[in-house]
Amino acid sequence: GGWTRGVLTLDPPGVIDGIVADSDRLVGFGQAANVDGDATQAVVWESGDGISWHSVAVLGPGNARFAIPWRHGLLVAAVHGLDGRVATTCWRIDTAGAVREQAFGGEPLPGAVEGGTVADDVAVIWGRGSKGSRIWGADDGGRWRESNHRGAVDLVANSGGNLVAFARQGSSRLSVAYSTDGISWAESKVDNPGVFEGARMVAAVPFEGRFVVAGTDIMRDVATAWATEDGRRWHRIALPSTGSAHVVNLVVAGERLLAVGGMRNGTRKLGAVWESADAVTWRSIAPDQLFADSSANTMAVARDSIVVCGTLHVERDDGQSDAIPVTWQSPIPRSGKPPAQEPASSS
């Protein structure tokens, strides 16, 4: 209940890859075409309502892969270049909107960054460099040091105390490693490692005494959450769906966890939002009529609203379809528990 959908507008026009909440505003990051309509530019937008977005900064050629609030401003990473010459440049945007490249006389980071997080004064980014998957850390956003972590990294997250990395060792075995500085990592023993078979992690948050990770169980083709209370024993929970499903983001909204992603039933696509009050039982809360024929790709909580960005696919008379950027919004429930939730399998 309470969901609305509106057509998203961007100035300059482009594609939002992700959104984050920064105080009372939403920040979007992605890419836009330049004035000639060909080369892409890394862009950061802001919005007060989730519908109309205006440029904060155009950072030059490339694609802004992530933006994160840091030290009373934003830390942004933009990937640029082609083939073997791909590199990542980090930028800082202060509260006044001033933009500064965080190179400090050095070269851009070699490789393509896929995501980032912060813990206290430490910034961590991960992606793929010339020598494979890597994690880098910095305390200034510019002098990046390569960590000792070696693995195909899915996700690095702040557990509320330590940094946690989820990665695959070898062909499939998923490992969990911890760090305090983003540079030195130690793999942790998991009591029931089979719970991570086929896991692909995309987001994680601490919630109600648990650490919760969301993603997709690709062996079972289902949207999945993993939760632990002690970091050693994990529980896997399949989120309810009517077909194959996946998760793209996970956030805390008031007293609840929200996961956003999508479902596919035959040829039909459906955006999906799930909620939970305990990280164990989940229910779908996205109304079919508003999320039908759509794909949701990111979510954030700002002020009193849940904001989901994605694409609505509208079929034309000629059988082709138009991709329309849209935003879904719903008020955050402020009190009370969700109604009876759909059963979800757990292991």
Side-chain angles (χ1 to χ4, degrees):
W3 284 96
T4 60
R5 184 182 67 202
V7 176
L8 182 153
T9 61
L10 293 176
D11 180 20
V15 177
I16 287 182
D17 286 345
I19 60 175
V20 294
D22 182 28
S23 298
D24 286 337
R25 67 173 179 170
L26 289 165
V27 172
F29 51 91
Q31 58 185 323
N34 68 5
V35 292
D36 297 323
D38 45 14
T40 58
Q41 304 287 304
V43 181
V44 177
W45 296 269
E46 67 177 358
S47 176
D49 59 9
I51 296 291
S52 300
W53 297 78
H54 304 280
S55 171
V56 174
V58 178
L59 303 175
N63 181 18
R65 285 288 176 85
F66 80 87
I68 193 163
W70 192 51
R71 295 184 177 179
H72 308 292
L74 292 169
L75 180 65
V76 185
V79 177
H80 48 87
L82 295 171
D83 301 325
R85 303 183 66 181
V86 174
T88 297
T89 299
C90 290
W91 306 80
R92 175 169 169 75
I93 305 175
D94 66 22
T95 53
V99 180
R100 183 178 65 193
E101 184 177 339
Q102 297 294 96
F104 299 107
E107 295 295 324
L109 189 71
V113 165
E114 297 170 2
T117 189
V118 295
D120 296 325
D121 285 335
V122 177
V124 174
I125 56 179
W126 70 92
R128 189 167 185 84
S130 59
K131 298 180 181 179
S133 184
R134 291 291 186 269
I135 297 174
W136 297 270
D139 56 12
D140 57 13
R143 297 182 181 90
W144 295 96
R145 293 188 292 157
E146 185 178 299
S147 77
N148 68 348
H149 191 284
R150 297 294 180 267
V153 181
D154 279 353
L155 174 70
V156 181
N158 184 345
S159 69
N162 295 320
L163 291 158
V164 185
F166 298 90
R168 291 179 304 282
Q169 303 288 348
S171 60
S172 61
R173 184 177 69 87
L174 190 136
S175 68
V176 182
Y178 291 85
S179 176
T180 58
D181 60 6
I183 303 300
S184 299
W185 292 85
E187 186 173 345
S188 173
K189 177 176 174 54
V190 175
D191 290 345
N192 52 336
V195 77
F196 291 131
E197 288 181 350
R200 290 294 183 270
M201 314 300 202
V202 297
V205 293
F207 179 75
E208 298 292 335
R210 294 183 172 98
F211 186 56
V212 186
V213 190
T216 303
D217 183 335
I218 61 173
M219 293 180 65
R220 298 167 178 83
D221 200 20
V222 294
T224 305
W226 291 263
T228 184
E229 295 179 356
D230 57 11
R232 294 181 62 89
R233 183 157 191 86
W234 290 77
H235 302 277
R236 178 179 56 205
I237 307 100
L239 277 57
S241 67
T242 57
S244 63
H246 65 279
V247 174
V248 297
N249 206 353
L250 176 73
V251 299
V252 177
E255 300 176 356
R256 304 179 190 184
L257 273 175
L258 295 177
V260 65
M263 298 186 229
R264 180 187 289 272
N265 195 340
T267 60
R268 187 169 183 253
K269 285 185 177 180
L270 185 71
V273 183
W274 297 270
E275 73 169 9
S276 176
D278 58 9
V280 176
T281 52
W282 293 80
R283 71 183 189 116
S284 176
I285 62 170
D288 288 355
Q289 68 273 21
L290 280 186
F291 285 84
D293 302 314
S294 64
S295 55
N297 57 30
T298 185
M299 174 172 58
V301 175
R303 297 179 182 169
D304 297 323
S305 295
I306 305 159
V307 179
V308 177
C309 290
T311 304
L312 177 66
H313 306 282
V314 179
E315 187 173 345
R316 303 196 306 251
D317 292 339
D318 60 5
Q320 301 298 311
S321 63
D322 290 327
I324 301 174
V326 294
T327 297
W328 296 269
Q329 296 190 49
S330 176
I332 300 173
R334 283 302 176 189
S335 62
K337 299 298 183 182
Q341 304 193 14
E342 299 175 23
S345 60
S346 176
S347 58

